[in-house]
Amino acid sequence: MREFDERTRVDREAELMARLASLRAAGADLDAAALDREVLAAVPFPPKIQIQTTTRCNAACGMCPYPVVTGEAGFAHEEMSLARYEAILAQLAGRPVERLSLFLMNEPLVDKRLPDWIGRARAALPEATLGLFTNGSALTGGVAWRLAAAGLGELSVSVHGFDRETYEAVMAGLSFARLERNLREVFELRAAGDLGSLRIQLVTGDVPDIRASLDRAPPALREHALLKAFSNERALVGADMPVPSSLKRPRAAALSPLCHRPFVKLYVLASGQCVLCNCDWRRTVVLGRVGERPDDATVEAVWQGARYRDVRHQLFTGRHARGLLCTGCDYAEVVGDD
């Protein structure tokens, strides 16, 4: 498992996935109800939650479907309302949430509400790790300070290339010079102790060209870098893949590796819709909708609902319904143990 994926894995996730792997290896023939009992006994409430506050991004990265999907007819940008966000936080308060991440299929820092919304999340979930994943284009020293002061615990900056040529080829629309300037400000504040306990990590794609540029990077940047796998996300929306998947080997087993996402993580779009995972750009599997409206479900009801139960059983057995996004996805293989 690559460094970033390993670091973000929570304890209950590791225990549950090990248990499910053992049952699979033993050939356990669990029906959907029996599997559901196994899963909900370990994780009756999602330990990891990812929330999209806005659908917008300011880049067109080569491994990401964003520029493809948002350019399609019928796509409309959205922002989550404060009322919906507060209703979700109220449902999370006092529950065993270990990680809450305020980004999903977007660039979170285009949403100027983020410091305030992180503060609200910290008040609701004082023990949880609050995380943010940004491309760094808007990450000035001042922004980093406000995020840290609000209670952000982990700041991940996507740096897919450590020289101008590699970076700007992969992260189209962004400036490497601007990133360098922003990172300099942020690390100066960190060195001065002005960002408190905020953990900062540079997350870089585990593909040959990007790794080669990392090898040439200054030690001050290399020491903060973590490798992250790229899956075939763009291929899932029928687009070309100018930046390849990180998968380096053919599938060896009859059953594909078991993806952890539907077993431990809830993904909430700005509309309140809960989708299969962060690869489900076209909302092919909507598991429910959470928020403040009378017809919205609760987080717990969605997590324990029949639609999730069905998807989990399909993944466990390897008998995917026709058209299920997971059929063509290589994420579970990409992040598996090397």
Side-chain angles (χ1 to χ4, degrees):
M1 179 171 284
R2 287 160 178 84
E3 297 160 298
F4 178 81
D5 305 287
E6 179 68 31
R7 179 172 289 187
T8 58
R9 188 166 60 168
V10 300
D11 290 342
R12 283 181 298 153
E13 172 185 352
E15 293 165 4
L16 172 61
M17 299 314 293
R19 168 67 175 160
L20 295 181
S22 176
L23 288 170
R24 271 181 133 208
D29 186 20
L30 301 181
D31 62 19
L35 176 64
D36 199 46
R37 288 192 292 272
E38 288 280 349
V39 172
L40 296 183
V43 287
F45 198 84
K48 300 165 77 171
I49 299 172
Q50 204 164 333
I51 295 177
Q52 178 190 67
T53 70
T54 177
T55 57
R56 296 187 183 276
C57 183
N58 58 352
C61 298
M63 65 288 184
C64 179
Y66 177 86
V68 178
V69 175
T70 57
E72 294 174 343
F75 181 88
H77 282 291
E78 298 179 83
E79 284 193 347
M80 180 173 283
S81 69
L82 178 59
R84 184 179 299 279
Y85 182 63
E86 289 188 319
I88 294 170
L89 288 181
Q91 295 177 41
L92 305 186
R95 306 306 296 267
V97 178
E98 296 184 39
R99 292 184 67 90
L100 175 65
S101 304
L102 295 186
F103 66 92
L104 177 58
M105 304 175 185
N106 68 349
E107 167 45 46
L109 294 184
V110 303
D111 189 341
K112 304 304 181 185
R113 305 172 297 177
L114 254 293
D116 173 61
W117 282 34
I118 287 168
R120 293 170 187 266
R122 176 52 68 212
L125 297 165
E127 302 301 323
T129 296
L130 301 184
L132 203 62
F133 218 118
T134 173
N135 62 37
S137 60
L139 185 65
T140 64
V143 169
W145 183 88
R146 289 193 291 276
L147 295 172
L152 187 68
E154 184 177 277
L155 180 61
S156 300
V157 186
S158 294
V159 184
H160 301 308
F162 287 81
D163 55 60
R164 185 186 65 80
E165 182 179 9
T166 306
Y167 178 87
E168 294 183 5
V170 176
M171 304 186 74
L174 303 183
S175 163
F176 185 68
R178 182 174 184 175
L179 175 75
E180 285 188 305
R181 183 171 62 250
N182 287 350
L183 290 180
R184 189 180 312 114
E185 290 182 10
V186 170
F187 283 121
E188 285 175 355
L189 286 174
R190 183 186 182 192
D194 293 333
L195 299 182
S197 60
L198 176 63
R199 173 190 290 172
I200 303 171
Q201 52 201 22
L202 309 181
V203 181
T204 190
D206 187 12
V207 294
D209 288 350
I210 298 175
R211 289 190 71 157
S213 74
L214 173 61
D215 292 339
R216 299 190 297 268
L221 292 182
R222 283 205 309 270
E223 69 175 295
H224 296 292
L226 293 176
L227 291 174
K228 177 176 173 55
F230 287 153
S231 67
N232 62 342
E233 219 173 325
R234 279 177 65 103
L236 296 178
V237 301
D240 62 349
M241 292 182 57
V243 178
S245 163
S246 298
L247 188 60
K248 299 172 182 173
R249 62 190 186 280
R251 179 178 298 173
L255 276 178
S256 60
L258 189 59
C259 182
H260 66 277
R261 285 168 164 169
F263 294 90
V264 297
K265 195 168 186 180
L266 182 72
Y267 296 84
V268 186
L269 299 180
S271 63
Q273 289 180 312
C274 300
V275 290
L276 181 62
C277 71
N278 65 302
C279 292
D280 196 359
W281 286 80
R282 292 204 178 105
R283 309 177 188 191
T284 64
V285 177
V286 176
L287 300 154
R289 188 181 65 199
V290 296
E292 85 286 8
R293 291 168 45 168
D295 56 342
D296 287 337
T298 65
V299 168
E300 184 172 53
V302 171
W303 185 249
Q304 298 184 4
R307 191 69 183 99
Y308 250 130
R309 182 184 311 125
D310 178 55
V311 168
R312 290 171 183 140
H313 191 248
Q314 289 182 52
L315 294 182
F316 181 82
T317 61
R319 297 192 290 269
H320 300 137
R322 183 183 299 274
L324 184 70
L325 192 70
C326 309
T327 303
C329 182
D330 68 1
Y331 173 80
E333 293 168 276
V334 163
V335 300
D337 294 335
D338 291 326

